[in-house]
Amino acid sequence: MSGTFKTESPFTRALIAGALAGTTVDLSLYPIDTLKTRLQSSAGFSASGGFRGIYAGVGSALIGSAPGAALFFVTYEATKAYFHSYSPSPATAQWADPLTHMAAASLGEVAACAVRVPTEVVKQRAQAVQFRSSVAALQAILGRRQAVGVGGVWRELYRGWGVTVLREVPFTVIQFPLWEGLKEWRRRRTGREGISAGESALFGSVAGAVAAGVTTPLDVLKTRMMLAREKVGAGEMAGRMVRDGGMGVFFKGMGPRMVWISIGGAVFLGSYQWAFNAMGGV
């Protein structure tokens, strides 16, 4: 990027860099996400499409990725700036940064889920071959308005909201403090103020893989709830899963998920750091 793209506004940097990072990672890793969804489907991998049509539902991902990621990073950076404006007491100084990153990441995920959840509902139904495309999946949901009303359509679009937040908040509470901690360790080792995009990508990959492995059971539960033909609560769905497949069912798709998010962490946080640095951030 040339100097004309530099900006002194952290808000603008986070907005543009986040949107770019979200679009880049979702498009580049979409096939792996599709395979992971089909592995976790109760219908089984082959019945859900197998290796066919691995870009099914990509339209909804395209629409939702940029605003979702932008919302996350704007909230994340704003929350960090707010907490960093206060000086911690000597007793809490060593925990101030990790706790700040945990709080910022949690609030960022809640904000991003406003866009991510309806996008995921539409996308996963297309990925699991319940509908021929994301447009068809969305039309089917909206077509229920006369039967269930606007409120019913809204609830259907946000099906799995609670378990998605329950999955994403622990994930980011692990991923982002670890990513930030690795960046700070690198700064101390090199004596440089800034972090390169390559370094950020490497640390994002490590942090993403760790967080993905730990939160796989919540991801499987979320996927089953979103793909269910009828609305089912998290507790009831978890009980069904244990009865039908034992505890091992909660770790279905763990390998692809860890690979996908490890690579995704590198692409996402590497491209975010690149854009952030290019606009004058450090």
Side-chain angles (χ1 to χ4, degrees):
M1 285 186 184
S2 65
T4 57
F5 286 92
K6 291 188 181 295
T7 174
E8 293 301 316
S9 168
F11 175 87
T12 303
R13 285 198 295 264
L15 181 72
I16 296 173
L20 175 67
T23 303
T24 301
V25 71
D26 281 353
L27 282 181
S28 60
L29 299 179
Y30 193 82
I32 301 177
D33 182 42
T34 298
L35 296 177
K36 184 268 302 181
T37 296
R38 291 173 179 178
L39 281 167
Q40 293 177 345
S41 172
S42 58
F45 180 71
S46 297
S48 297
F51 291 98
R52 303 183 306 276
I54 55 176
Y55 276 94
V58 72
S60 59
L62 273 172
I63 292 170
S65 57
L71 261 177
F72 172 84
F73 276 110
V74 166
T75 306
Y76 181 73
E77 296 292 349
T79 305
K80 282 203 308 180
Y82 173 78
F83 282 114
H84 285 159
S85 67
Y86 294 91
S87 298
S89 66
T92 61
Q94 63 176 329
W95 297 104
D97 279 348
L99 290 174
T100 293
H101 298 147
M102 288 179 184
S106 299
L107 291 175
E109 281 298 344
V110 172
C113 279
V115 174
R116 184 178 297 141
V117 171
T119 299
E120 284 271 300
V121 169
V122 172
K123 180 194 74 174
Q124 290 195 328
R125 291 181 185 185
Q127 287 177 321
V129 200
Q130 292 183 358
F131 298 92
R132 68 181 183 276
S133 67
S134 55
V135 172
L138 179 60
Q139 287 175 336
I141 294 171
L142 297 179
R144 299 186 62 197
R145 184 174 63 85
Q146 289 187 338
V148 299
V150 174
V153 170
W154 185 267
R155 287 189 294 273
E156 188 68 13
L157 282 170
Y158 280 89
R159 186 194 287 193
W161 161 272
V163 74
T164 301
V165 172
L166 188 64
R167 177 199 68 175
E168 296 294 351
V169 169
F171 179 88
T172 52
V173 162
I174 297 168
Q175 183 189 33
F176 275 80
L178 182 54
W179 175 61
E180 295 277 12
L182 288 168
K183 290 200 299 178
E184 183 57 32
W185 168 81
R186 184 61 177 169
R187 289 189 188 100
R188 290 197 302 267
R189 286 289 301 270
T190 62
R192 290 188 279 109
E193 182 181 2
I195 292 292
S196 71
E199 291 167 334
S200 179
L202 175 60
F203 301 149
S205 177
V206 172
V210 172
V214 173
T215 58
T216 293
L218 291 171
D219 184 58
V220 176
L221 179 61
K222 184 270 304 179
T223 298
R224 292 292 182 91
M225 289 178 66
M226 286 184 171
L227 294 179
R229 295 294 182 180
E230 74 284 352
K231 186 175 177 61
V232 181
E236 183 182 348
M237 179 58 77
R240 287 185 190 178
M241 291 166 63
V242 172
R243 286 194 302 272
D244 295 343
M247 292 301 295
V249 73
F250 286 99
F251 294 92
K252 278 193 172 183
M254 184 176 181
R257 174 172 163 80
M258 289 185 69
V259 171
W260 166 53
I261 293 181
S262 177
I263 299 170
V267 175
F268 186 55
L269 295 173
S271 58
Y272 176 79
Q273 195 74 50
W274 173 81
F276 196 80
N277 291 351
M279 288 183 287
V282 292

